[in-house]
Amino acid sequence: MAVRQQHSDGLTVAGREALDLEKIELDCLLEAVYRRYGFDFREYAPASLRRRINRRVKLEELPSISALQDQLLRNPEVMQQLLLDLSINVTAMFRDPTFHLAFREHVVPLLRTYPFTRIWVAGCSTGEEVYSLAILLEEESLYDRARIYATDINEDVLERARLGVFPLARMQDYTRNYIGAGGKRSFSDYYTSGYDGAAFDRSLMRNVVFAQHNLAMDHSFNEFHVIVCRNVMIYFERSLQQRVFELFDASLARLGILALGHKESLRTSAHAGSYEELDAVERLYRKVR
Ligand SMILES: C[S@@+](CC[C@H](N)C(=O)[O-])C[C@H]1O[C@@H](n2cnc3c(N)ncnc32)[C@H](O)[C@@H]1O
C-alpha cells in the first residue's frame, strides 16, 4: 500500500510544498505591486490577501499568482482592479448604531467645548460613514464648527463618496440604523430618491474634504481633535497596525479622541498607556498624555 508522507500540520508533503510555493509567489507579487505602483500590502493579514488574490487569479483565468504578477506589472488597469479586490470597501450608513449613540454621549459634549474641530475619517470607503458623521454633527449643532478630512487609499471609492448617491435598496436598513443611532429627524429629510439611487443633500458635504491617503505609507497631514478609523486595521498585520497607531498618535491633539471598529483595539499598541477608554465596547479612546 502506498504511504502518503504527511507533515505534522496534517498536510501531505506535496500539499505543504504547494502552500510554501504559493507563499513565495504571493510575497513576490506584493513586492512587485509595491515597487511598480507604490501600494504597500506587504503587511496586510495574509489569509484574507491570499483568498482575494486567488479569486482574481481565477476570474482572470490565469494559471498562477505569478501569472497575475506578470499582468500587473505591465497593465495598470489590472492593478486598479486588484486595488478594488484588496481594499474591501464594505460599509454602511450609521454602521453599528450603538457606536454612534456612544459618540453622541461621550464625544459630542467634549466637542462642544472647542471653538472648532478637525476630524479625520481614515479609510472612509464610499463615504457612508462620512455622511453619517456629518448628519450627527448637524443634529448636534456642531457641524458648522467642524471640518472633516475623509481619506482612503482607493481613489475610485473616494469618487463615489464625493457623489453621495447610495443604493435606494439600502435606505430601509439605513433608516433603522439612523433611528438606533439616536437620529433626531426623519432620515428621508437628508436625501432625494431618484433613478440612480438616494442622492444625499450636497450641503452635508460643505465642510468635508476627500483625499487619497495611504495609512501604510503616508505621513500625518494635520493635527486632529478626533480620528475615526473603523474596520480598516482589522485587515492589517500587527506591525502595520503599530505603524498606524503611531501615525494617529502623532496626528491627535492632546485630549483628542480615537474611534476604532468593534473588532479593533488600542490595547495591543505601544501607545495604549497614553489613552483612557471612554467606552470600552465602542472602542472610543481619549489621548491623555
Ligand atoms: C471595510 S472598509 C471600512 C469603511 C468604513 N470605515 C466603515 O467602517 O464602514 C475599509 C476601507 O479601508 C481602506 N483601506 C485599506 N487599506 C488602506 C490603507 N492602507 N490606507 C487607507 N485606507 C485603506 C479600503 O480602501 C476600504 O475603503
Side-chain angles (χ1 to χ4, degrees):
M1 190 171 76
V3 179
R4 286 204 317 181
Q5 279 187 289
Q6 276 207 324
H7 255 273
S8 54
D9 53 13
L11 285 171
T12 62
V13 171
R16 163 64 34 213
E17 246 175 42
L19 267 188
D20 287 348
L21 261 184
E22 190 190 64
K23 163 103 178 66
I24 295 171
E25 287 187 281
L26 194 65
D27 288 351
C28 290
L29 178 138
L30 298 179
E31 189 63 32
V33 163
Y34 176 57
R35 289 179 56 180
R36 171 79 168 87
Y37 298 101
F39 290 114
D40 195 353
F41 290 102
R42 294 173 299 176
E43 292 179 73
Y44 277 47
S48 146
L49 265 184
R50 193 182 320 117
R51 208 173 42 247
R52 281 158 207 285
I53 288 176
N54 275 323
R55 185 175 154 268
R56 180 52 45 199
V57 167
K58 277 216 182 75
L59 288 172
E60 300 289 332
E61 298 180 357
L62 293 166
S64 64
I65 293 179
S66 301
L68 178 64
Q69 175 184 325
D70 195 52
Q71 296 227 339
L72 276 169
L73 282 173
R74 286 167 182 78
N75 187 350
E77 278 174 24
V78 179
M79 181 63 230
Q80 203 47 41
Q81 185 52 58
L82 190 72
L83 200 53
L84 284 175
D85 294 339
L86 296 186
S87 61
I88 313 160
N89 305 116
V90 179
T91 187
M93 291 195 81
F94 293 97
R95 182 178 193 172
D96 303 326
T98 52
F99 163 77
H100 291 84
L101 268 185
F103 193 96
R104 283 190 203 260
E105 183 186 338
H106 300 292
V107 183
V108 161
L110 298 173
L111 300 189
R112 289 201 196 291
T113 65
Y114 298 142
F116 192 78
T117 27
R118 281 184 301 276
I119 303 177
W120 179 11
V121 181
C124 67
S125 188
T126 37
E128 286 84 336
E129 186 178 36
V130 184
Y131 285 78
S132 309
L133 189 58
I135 290 172
L136 188 158
L137 294 173
E138 184 87 288
E139 293 184 353
E140 299 292 343
S141 308
L142 282 170
Y143 189 54
D144 281 322
R145 27 181 177 133
R147 177 151 293 241
I148 303 177
Y149 298 81
T151 63
D152 201 280
I153 188 176
N154 184 335
E155 189 53 61
D156 284 3
V157 294
L158 289 171
E159 211 38 63
R160 283 161 58 193
R162 287 186 191 101
L163 272 180
V165 179
F166 303 123
L168 274 178
R170 300 203 67 185
M171 288 307 126
Q172 217 174 351
D173 283 347
Y174 291 173
T175 304
R176 210 172 305 122
N177 284 357
Y178 169 75
I179 295 168
K184 296 183 173 172
R185 290 171 54 181
S186 166
F187 187 55
S188 57
D189 289 353
Y190 293 106
Y191 64 86
T192 312
S193 304
Y195 288 119
D196 304 343
F200 276 73
D201 187 349
R202 298 307 313 152
S203 76
L204 285 172
M205 291 297 101
R206 66 188 181 277
N207 293 339
V208 177
V209 178
F210 286 104
Q212 193 188 35
H213 180 279
N214 184 345
L215 291 167
M217 301 175 67
D218 296 335
H219 295 286
S220 178
F221 57 96
N222 213 328
E223 188 179 72
F224 299 95
H225 304 96
V226 180
I227 298 179
V228 178
C229 184
R230 307 192 71 234
N231 311 302
V232 179
M233 276 192 275
I234 193 175
Y235 301 107
F236 297 172
E237 286 221 89
R238 182 73 66 86
S239 50
L240 181 52
Q241 291 178 357
Q242 210 48 251
R243 181 202 194 269
V244 179
F245 282 133
E246 250 150 59
L247 172 65
F248 289 164
D249 194 62
S251 310
L252 256 188
R254 207 175 85 80
L255 303 181
I257 305 294
L258 178 63
L260 304 176
H262 279 168
K263 294 187 195 130
E264 295 153 339
S265 170
L266 192 59
R267 218 167 287 152
T268 54
S269 148
H271 293 283
S274 309
Y275 291 78
E276 68 177 17
E277 271 176 358
L278 285 185
D279 188 318
V281 175
E282 301 301 338
R283 309 295 157 122
L284 276 170
Y285 305 91
R286 186 177 203 198
K287 183 175 174 177
V288 284
R289 27 188 107 75

